[in-house]
Amino acid sequence: MKSSLVLALLIAPAFLAAQAGPPPAKPAPPWMNKSLSPDERAALLVKQLTFDEKISMVHGTGWDALFGELPLRSLGGAGFVPGIPRLGIPDLQMADAAVGVARGAVFGRYTTPLPSTVAEAASWDPKVAREYGALIGRELHDQGYNMGLGGGVNLTREPRNGRNFEYQGEDPILAGKLVGAEMKALSEQGVIPHIKHYAINDQENGRNFVNIKIDKRAMRESDLLAFEIGIEEGGVGAVMCSYNKVNGDYACENDYLLNQVLKKQWGFPGFVLSDWGGTHSSAKAANAGLDMEQPGGDYFGKELKKDVDSRAVPAARLDDMVQRILRSEFAAGLFDRPADRQAPDIFHGLEVAQHVAEQGSVLLKNAGGQLPLAASVRSIAVIGSHADVGVVSGGGSAQVDPPGGNAVSNAGQAVFGPIVWQPSSPLKAIRAKAPHAKVEFDPGTDPAAAAKLAQASDVAIVFVNQPASEGGDLASLSLPDNQDALVSAVAAANPHTIVVLETGGPVTMPWIDRVSAALETWFPGIRGGEAIANILFGDVNPSAKLPLTFPKSEQDLPRPKLAEQPPAGEGDMVPFIPGTDFKINKRSFDVAYDEGLKVGYKWYEAENKPPLFAFGFGLSYTTYAYSDLKASATSVTFSVKNTGSRAGAETAQVYVNLPAAAGEPFHRLVAWEKIALAPGETKSVTLTLDPHYLSIFNADREAWELLPGRYTVSAGGSSSDLPLHAAVEIAGR
Ligand code: BGC
């Protein structure tokens, strides 16, 4: 009796519990209520954080993810900020992702090596930019990353900049719209949309210590306008401030750039993180608007703690920093849609890469209808640039590792490692298009031997390249390694010489009058070979346009000589990455951007220097005619006809000349649209004119102004070919 009572007492609670079902689930914390805004959710969470937890959220764990032992839970991306498990705050896992997710090889991971961003820009097509961003976002999310460090949108102010391939060209509106479309699509994959390098980081030489001198109006109407548009249209959640100084202050502690413009005037609600090693102070930077130090906590760890304790940094400012980080995490779905890792869909990635390369390759010359090639061609000489095995890619933090390793085993050296060749063989793709032709390869190292093969062939296709990388600028705009001599020798041997360029930006072409065709493919990515063959043989009708000017000569640039950092003096070489022997020259120097807002085509037009190939230029295998322009202050309508015999797509462009009072003796791109046209088809297009894009920036009033007066609206197929004009009177405001 006694023992059964004990047994009953023992069993009873378990029995009762079983009857009552599992213990009631803990109610979800209030910040998990999806009907609240990201800002409201973040504010609820900030209240729960201790001082130390707040400090832990505003800096990363150091350079170790890149150069040492991986911090616990880090996936090995360039940036890692541990989350706060007790509150369900996720780890912030950042990976470089300018042209695809970087740093895969060391972990044995594959992601799609896309064509360079400048190819995306050359598509002039927000749909292509969306595809690009969606793919990067999806591959980040698949691997567990919740933030990509892409979205490069520095303008091509210095055509020798080693990072132009990561950016969207020279026009602020084109660049801003495309990076906005890319980032919007990326964020839809549950990844924080990000933009960099804010601002005026337009050359690599001396990038950590150069002081850019530029007036307010110039920067607002050029480089900063690209960021303004991109941030707004992309719903961007994080902005990386750049290494350089702007008008005396480092960009990452620059009150005008961060507090005044980005946060106050543009109303940016997200957070600012420093470029890697770009933080130079605690209180000054925090009070100027920097919200997060990367990659470590040299300043935003113990130093910031002290500064908040001593009130050098208000406690409310620390709360604001954390609020901004959390609201961007909520806005991108980091709490509601945590990473769900899966193998990336490589098949989809290959399709996107090929599509971007096809849409982004610009046909620069096609004399006598040299292209497309007929499949019946009997013999083809393929020459140069390792075209037997691959296509070149851009180096530095943007480098996406090539599947199976570098396609070229003894490739030359880029700044941070070997020049990487993606294994997409143009030679193989060309052979597949012309199975009955004799297609032979010559490496192009000996121009005489290459010319001999060219002479014995119906057609010669010379591949040339100009590798580029973060960390250094190009020595010049000439093709390196004697490639100009190679093209000249081949062109002299065969009148049907086609040049295929793989470059990150413009190059000079002393041989252009002697070749019959030229195709600019940028760094065309993992399906570059296939895309090139599709264009050469007409399966794809090229439709890309240049997003940057190709000058005739470096003499025509605002700075014929690159502005270089003075050589290091005694004690100038300082360690940059702790634990490595990587050192940089800390000598500060000024570069005055006296050309101001005249970036790219605006400069060449104002200075009356006709370029080799103009901004907006690009040929097709068909032709187009423009007619019937009607313009008002708010819109422009015109017709475009496909006057040839092939289907094609034309990017129709609208430029505006401002009234003389603006003091801008050149036109600016204000609208464009890519129009698909069947042979003989005509379409009428109406494009909206955004008053912002017609305005000038009044630096005294810190405001945009639409000047009253007479505006000239022009439409056509490139900045130098605008057959239609109309005058519009604007009352101004
Ligand atoms: C680059 C950034 C990059 C970061 C992290 C820096 O050197 O300038 O673009 O995101 O490194 O790798």
Side-chain angles (χ1 to χ4, degrees):
M1 176 73 184
K2 229 179 180 183
S3 63
S4 58
L5 180 67
V6 171
L7 196 65
L9 284 173
L10 279 175
I11 292 171
F15 177 75
L16 286 175
Q19 288 292 299
K26 268 212 209 138
W31 55 87
M32 289 309 289
N33 177 354
K34 290 189 206 160
S35 67
L36 300 177
S37 71
D39 272 303
E40 289 166 330
R41 295 173 73 178
L44 288 168
L45 200 39
V46 172
K47 287 196 197 117
Q48 304 295 319
L49 293 166
T50 65
F51 183 33
D52 282 342
E53 284 171 340
K54 288 176 191 168
I55 294 284
S56 78
M57 288 189 67
V58 299
H59 64 83
T61 48
W63 291 94
D64 273 359
L66 291 173
F67 299 102
E69 291 255 311
L70 277 196
L72 189 69
R73 301 201 307 273
S74 159
L75 296 172
F80 177 65
V81 183
I84 298 175
R86 80 174 181 92
L87 295 168
I89 298 177
D91 297 331
L92 204 44
Q93 303 269 8
M94 309 172 186
D96 273 304
V99 305
V101 186
R103 264 174 73 75
V106 277
F107 305 105
R109 299 179 202 140
Y110 170 82
T111 47
T112 307
L114 283 164
S116 46
T117 314
V118 69
E120 172 199 346
S123 76
W124 286 57
D125 189 348
K127 287 202 291 296
V128 170
R130 282 189 59 83
E131 261 183 84
Y132 199 90
L135 185 82
I136 294 176
R138 181 165 158 175
E139 293 193 348
L140 284 164
H141 195 259
D142 285 346
Q143 294 187 44
Y145 292 113
N146 46 24
M147 180 162 155
L149 301 170
V153 72
N154 297 92
L155 295 188
T156 314
R157 191 180 267 285
E158 172 48 78
R160 289 157 297 207
N161 178 359
R163 298 189 86 171
N164 284 333
F165 74 92
E166 293 185 50
Y167 302 147
Q168 304 266 9
E170 70 190 22
D171 181 78
I173 301 177
L174 179 66
K177 289 258 177 202
L178 292 177
V179 78
E182 181 190 327
M183 285 303 132
K184 182 107 206 95
L186 175 141
S187 70
E188 287 161 8
Q189 304 297 321
V191 171
I192 297 179
H194 166 273
I195 204 166
K196 72 187 182 186
H197 308 85
Y198 186 72
I200 339 265
N201 177 192
D202 299 343
Q203 68 172 56
E204 287 296 279
N205 193 294
R207 65 177 177 170
N208 296 78
F209 297 100
V210 63
N211 176 35
I212 301 300
K213 294 171 98 174
I214 182 168
D215 72 65
K216 276 188 188 173
R217 173 172 173 190
M219 68 172 134
R220 297 300 296 270
E221 289 188 34
S222 62
D223 302 56
L224 266 54
L225 180 58
F227 281 93
E228 180 179 1
I229 297 170
I231 289 167
E232 190 186 332
E233 304 215 344
V236 162
V239 173
M240 183 190 290
C241 49
S242 54
Y243 285 128
N244 52 292
K245 294 179 186 169
V246 178
N247 294 331
D249 281 323
Y250 284 109
C252 290
E253 52 184 43
N254 193 307
D255 182 72
Y256 181 71
L257 287 179
L258 304 182
N259 278 341
Q260 304 305 323
V261 177
L262 176 66
K263 291 183 174 176
K264 278 205 195 106
Q265 295 182 31
W266 298 348
F268 172 63
F271 67 100
V272 178
L273 71 160
S274 69
D275 199 344
W276 269 229
T279 307
H280 296 270
S281 59
S282 160
K284 180 172 180 187
N287 290 332
L290 179 67
D291 301 301
M292 180 187 280
E293 177 182 357
Q294 283 294 346
D298 294 349
Y299 296 98
F300 277 23
K302 282 190 201 120
E303 291 291 314
L304 182 63
K305 220 177 146 183
K306 265 197 265 160
D307 284 336
V308 176
D309 274 334
S310 71
R311 305 204 180 165
V313 174
R317 171 68 187 117
L318 178 62
D319 283 357
D320 174 52
M321 293 155 78
V322 177
Q323 164 81 22
R324 286 170 173 277
I325 295 164
L326 286 170
R327 63 81 48 208
S328 290
E329 296 187 1
F330 279 114
L334 268 53
F335 284 79
D336 306 326
R337 186 183 166 191
D340 178 15
R341 287 199 232 170
Q342 60 173 1
D345 179 350
I346 61 166
F347 308 104
H348 177 65
L350 293 172
E351 271 171 30
V352 172
Q354 184 167 333
H355 189 235
V356 176
E358 289 169 353
Q359 296 299 307
S361 297
V362 188
L363 183 60
L364 296 173
K365 178 167 182 184
N366 193 17
Q370 170 69 69
L371 293 173
L373 293 170
S376 58
V377 58
R378 284 167 312 160
S379 54
I380 305 175
V382 175
I383 295 163
S385 196
H386 301 291
D388 52 337
V389 291
V391 291
V392 76
S393 61
S397 58
Q399 181 73 62
V400 181
D401 294 317
N406 201 338
V408 173
S409 48
N410 56 349
Q413 200 62 20
V415 186
F416 295 139
I419 299 167
V420 171
W421 296 78
Q422 298 291 349
S424 171
S425 157
L427 177 67
K428 265 194 205 155
I430 289 167
R431 282 195 170 133
K433 291 285 174 192
H436 306 298
K438 191 166 145 215
V439 183
E440 282 180 279
F441 180 71
D442 180 281
T445 37
D446 171 7
K452 204 165 160 209
L453 176 65
Q455 198 165 25
S457 310
D458 283 354
V459 171
I461 309 177
V462 195
F463 286 78
V464 294
N465 67 73
Q466 189 186 53
S469 169
E470 176 184 344
D473 298 317
L474 304 173
S476 83
L477 293 184
S478 300
L479 291 170
D481 303 332
N482 215 22
Q483 291 177 96
D484 282 336
L486 171 68
V487 177
S488 298
V490 172
N494 189 321
H496 302 287
T497 293
I498 299 154
V499 179
V500 177
L501 298 114
E502 296 167 20
T503 73
V507 287
T508 50
M509 302 183 197
W511 34 259
I512 191 69
D513 292 337
R514 284 172 274 134
V515 301
S516 57
L519 179 71
E520 172 59 77
T521 69
W522 317 108
F523 301 144
I526 189 62
R527 280 293 182 125
E530 291 78 358
I532 290 167
N534 273 347
I535 293 174
L536 294 179
F537 285 86
D539 299 287
V540 168
N541 187 355
S543 60
K545 304 267 190 174
L546 291 178
L548 39 78
T549 308
F550 278 51
K552 281 194 176 146
S553 130
E554 279 157 86
Q555 291 315 311
D556 291 344
L557 301 180
R559 276 162 297 284
K561 255 184 73 46
L562 181 81
E564 289 189 56
Q565 185 176 27
E570 177 93 9
D572 281 339
M573 292 308 288
V574 288
F576 186 63
I577 299 169
T580 72
D581 50 18
F582 186 64
K583 289 198 172 125
I584 54 173
N585 173 359
K586 71 167 185 340
R587 279 187 77 169
S588 190
F589 64 114
D590 288 348
V591 176
Y593 282 164
D594 292 333
E595 76 279 18
L597 54 80
K598 285 182 279 174
V599 181
Y601 63 95
K602 296 169 185 167
W603 164 262
Y604 299 99
E605 197 189 333
E607 300 293 313
N608 200 14
K609 295 179 193 284
L612 177 61
F613 294 112
F615 174 80
F617 173 78
L619 297 169
S620 158
Y621 295 149
T622 186
T623 46
Y624 304 99
Y626 286 74
S627 62
D628 302 325
L629 178 72
K630 281 181 216 72
S632 74
T634 53
S635 75
V636 46
T637 300
F638 54 94
S639 295
V640 187
K641 179 173 185 189
N642 180 343
T643 50
S645 54
R646 274 174 186 263
E650 167 74 336
T651 296
Q653 302 158 39
V654 176
Y655 294 78
V656 165
N657 281 84
L658 269 53
E664 298 191 4
F666 45 82
H667 53 208
R668 42 163 98 159
L669 176 75
V670 292
W672 66 93
E673 180 141 306
K674 198 163 201 169
I675 309 151
L677 292 162
E681 190 184 9
T682 302
K683 276 186 190 159
S684 168
V685 239
T686 297
L687 304 179
T688 306
L689 296 181
D690 185 329
H692 187 181
Y693 304 163
L694 304 180
S695 300
I696 61 160
F697 188 76
N698 182 326
D700 299 330
R701 291 182 38 229
E702 278 288 330
W704 290 90
E705 262 176 11
L706 185 63
L707 295 180
R710 195 180 161 91
Y711 290 70
T712 306
V713 178
S714 309
S718 101
S719 68
S720 68
D721 179 16
L722 298 167
L724 308 180
H725 305 280
V728 170
E729 280 298 327
I730 292 187
R733 46 178 124 106

